[in-house]
């Protein structure tokens, strides 16, 4: 398995777990779990592949991705009641999936010879859009826009590592590892320690 | 008209009626009716065609689809007040449109030589995404995720008929008829008799 | 710069301002501002380019579009507190962006030799979908479906000018100017003077 396929599989697996956990909060059946798991898992990468004109898109070229997402949905369906706080599980798994997906998306764009700007955007698209679809469809507040948390920022930082790698002369395995580590560390810092950028504050307050 | 064009036209017409009925609940004007009708009618098939790289997408290749959707919107604009329960009408028309669209989407994927997994996914994509777009845009609870009802399940079952047809040696007309009948029957059973799969129940309850 | 690039840049700039203003209402950080600005600015044109199979999509062919959107986000981040009513600013900027985007989208379809129906749809897609994505993601009531206002109607009217232009023998610069003027005038009339089409009224009332 190539480095990119490994990252894409990891992102699909962990994003699928978050989709299924959101389904458990909405009390769906097993097919509803699988639907939200697949949408979350492949949503971002599908937009990336359509934009990059990669044909067929990754999960049509290799349907084992769909199998991985369904297995994740089954796993959550039968074990979610064992989890103390499903919201906390969603937050942390989503952070891990974000890290894998950003690295996968940016690396794919880079191997296609895209410019640094497009490499960063493709990292953000792959990382952010699957979770955004999950949250919009399930009518949850999108994690990506949660006030005062770092999210797209983490994706942009992680993808920038890959955009800059050709200048640094580091090998691909090291680059994607560093990229995923930075994405995850920033997101973890934001969840656990409240790391944030200054947010816009209107005067007078909104409501 | 080919079998596929017939199914696609039927799905477009009936999905457009549901989009227009949702527009009537939101008290839009005639162009708003047409907008929601077109979005619902061609949304799923458009994603299908983009994923399958069918170019141009079906309603660009044959703009009569748009005309059909606009006629459906006009029809509903002038007659919706005659309907006793618009929500019930939406539910049942959506079930019929789902049946047509699933058969169309799965059959298209099958004629392109896709694997069984992709045939099933394309049936579900074609059947489920137009209605999902309608509900997300109009801020209704998506039918596709309504707790305790069969929806994606019906699509998967109907599409599976087409995925399995090559092994059964049945002709295409019979296969799509059987597929649409199974999708509709399962959905009708869920609406009318409460057929369902076991749903995930958390302990303790969610709220 | 070609006429189309000029229109696309104007639409991107002004739509990005509206996306950033919506971000300011949600009190996001600067990267959140940029994310919503970019989504709003390129959302409609991206769907248009995917449907028309223009490859690469416009902002991948020329990443200065992304730079324009980020500059708009920065501008709003540091000056939005000076604006008396951000909602009013969003309404009027959105009307201007709609006018530019409709003309750009319709003109692109027309130069590709598409039929009048597709020219009109591409104008509406380019004009309406970016703002729709902004509103759905930020969980605002979509402007495009706001009860009793003209919105898609303005887009259809403006795009029709371009669809009809070949018959009128008017030059492209005049045509797109007229198209944008008509879109904006109708939308402005709806915002300022309450111009509207008859809306669907159910009897008995909805709730």
């Amino acid at each position: 398995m190539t480095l990119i396929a490994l990252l894409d599989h990891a992102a699909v697996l962990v994003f699928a777990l978050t989709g299924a956990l959101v389904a458990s909060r909405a009390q769906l059946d097993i097919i509803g779990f699988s639907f939200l798991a697949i949408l979350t898992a492949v949503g971002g990468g599908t937009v990336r592949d359509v934009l990059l004109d990669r044909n067929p898109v990754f999960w049509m070229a290799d349907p084992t991705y769909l199998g991985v997402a369904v297995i994740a949905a089954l796993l959550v369906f039968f074990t979610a009641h064992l989890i103390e706080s499903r919201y906390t599980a969603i937050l942390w798994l989503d952070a891990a999936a974000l890290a894998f997906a950003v690295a996968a998306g940016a690396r794919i764009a880079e191997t296609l010879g895209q410019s640094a700007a497009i490499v960063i955007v493709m990292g953000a698209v792959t990382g952010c859009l699957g979770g955004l679809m999950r949250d919009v469809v399930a009518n949850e507040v999108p994690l990506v826009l949660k006030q005062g948390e770092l999210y797209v920022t983490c994706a942009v930082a992680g993808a920038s590592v890959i955009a800059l790698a050709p200048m640094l002369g580091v090998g691909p395995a090291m680059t994607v590892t560093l990229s995923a580590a930075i994405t995850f560390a920033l997101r973890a810092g934001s969840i656990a320690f409240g790391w944030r950028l200054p947010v816009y504050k209107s005067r007078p307050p909104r409501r």
Side-chain angles (χ1 to χ4, degrees), chain A residues 29-115:
Chain A
D29 62 30
I30 181 63
I31 305 283
F33 272 60
S34 300
F35 178 79
L36 261 190
I38 290 176
L39 182 76
T40 311
V42 308
T46 302
V47 175
R48 172 198 69 207
D49 286 356
V50 168
L51 290 175
L52 290 173
D53 207 29
R54 290 176 90 212
N55 238 301
V57 299
F58 72 109
W59 53 269
M60 291 176 65
D62 178 2
T64 62
Y65 287 106
L66 302 176
V68 167
V70 170
I71 288 169
L74 280 168
L75 192 73
V76 172
F77 191 76
F78 290 111
T79 65
H81 63 281
L82 303 174
I83 299 170
E84 189 122 349
S85 164
R86 277 174 286 153
Y87 186 70
T88 305
I90 291 168
L91 265 185
W92 285 98
L93 289 169
D94 184 89
L98 179 72
F100 294 133
V102 165
R107 172 79 182 137
I108 286 169
E110 201 241 315
T111 57
L112 292 172
Q114 297 286 339
S115 67

Side-chain angles (χ1 to χ4, degrees), chain A residues 2 15 19 28 54 57 61 88 107 121 130 138 158 162 167 178 186 200 206:
Chain A
T2 68
F15 264 137
L28 303 178
R54 290 176 90 212
V57 299
T88 305
R107 172 79 182 137
V121 170
I162 290 174
M167 287 171 244
L178 195 63
L186 285 175
Y200 178 82
R206 186 178 171 189

